[in-house]
Amino acid sequence: MLVDFETLPEESRVWIYQANRSFTKDEINEITSKLKTFIEAWTAHGKDLQAGFKMVYKRFIVIALNQNLNMATGCSIDASVRFIQELENDYNVDLMDKMNVSFKQGEFIAYKPLVDFKQMAKNKSVSKNTIVFNNLVTNIAEFKENWEVPASESWHSRFVK
């Protein structure tokens, strides 16, 4: 059951998929349509899942699920992963690699392998004040408060001094 992302409860579970490149306007329109279709049909043991999504900075797909209504199950989570993998294939984009880091460089969103980010921190190209995307947040409240934060306030802090 597709609902507006903004109407979901703060404790709704989130999954964040970061792309290794920006999506084009046409791709965003197509992906939005595919997300709507997927979420409308998304179920857990035959029960509708109340979920919403948003695309942020032409690069992030954020899916949220109201687990107060119905919980995600292994099968429903597997279905969402298969859907994301289909998007990866359809658009020749990487959405599942958690060993990459996205961060702001001015208005630009940079995407680097973790090893490169570590080196940039060592070289002082990024600092504790660099705005990073903490894709480990688990619910909408954390997404709003702790997703887009200075590196010093995220798991990235271990790399910046």
Side-chain angles (χ1 to χ4, degrees), residues 78-94:
D78 288 349
S80 69
V81 169
R82 279 192 304 276
F83 171 74
I84 294 297
Q85 289 171 329
E86 288 172 15
L87 292 179
E88 286 182 317
N89 290 332
D90 292 348
Y91 297 96
N92 193 28
V93 65
D94 182 2

Side-chain angles (χ1 to χ4, degrees), residues 44-57:
H45 297 295
K47 296 180 180 171
D48 284 342
L49 295 174
Q50 186 183 62
F53 72 92
K54 65 186 335 184
M55 293 189 68
V56 186
Y57 295 120

Side-chain angles (χ1 to χ4, degrees), residues 1 39-50 69-77 79:
M1 168 186 354
I39 291 174
E40 277 293 337
W42 199 21
T43 62
H45 297 295
K47 296 180 180 171
D48 284 342
L49 295 174
Q50 186 183 62
L69 191 60
N70 286 312
M71 300 280 283
T73 62
C75 292
S76 60
I77 292 170

Side-chain angles (χ1 to χ4, degrees), residues 8 17 47 75 93 96-97 107 113 124 128 141 143 146 151:
L8 289 164
Y17 301 97
K47 296 180 180 171
C75 292
V93 65
M96 303 281 287
D97 191 340
E107 292 301 308
K124 308 279 189 230
K128 63 183 181 175
F143 174 74
N146 298 315

Side-chain angles (χ1 to χ4, degrees), residues 1 3-4 18 40 43 50 62 80 86 89 100 102 118 136 138:
M1 168 186 354
V3 298
D4 184 330
Q18 69 181 2
E40 277 293 337
T43 62
Q50 186 183 62
V62 184
S80 69
E86 288 172 15
N89 290 332
N100 294 309
S102 291
K118 288 180 187 177
L136 301 180
T138 59

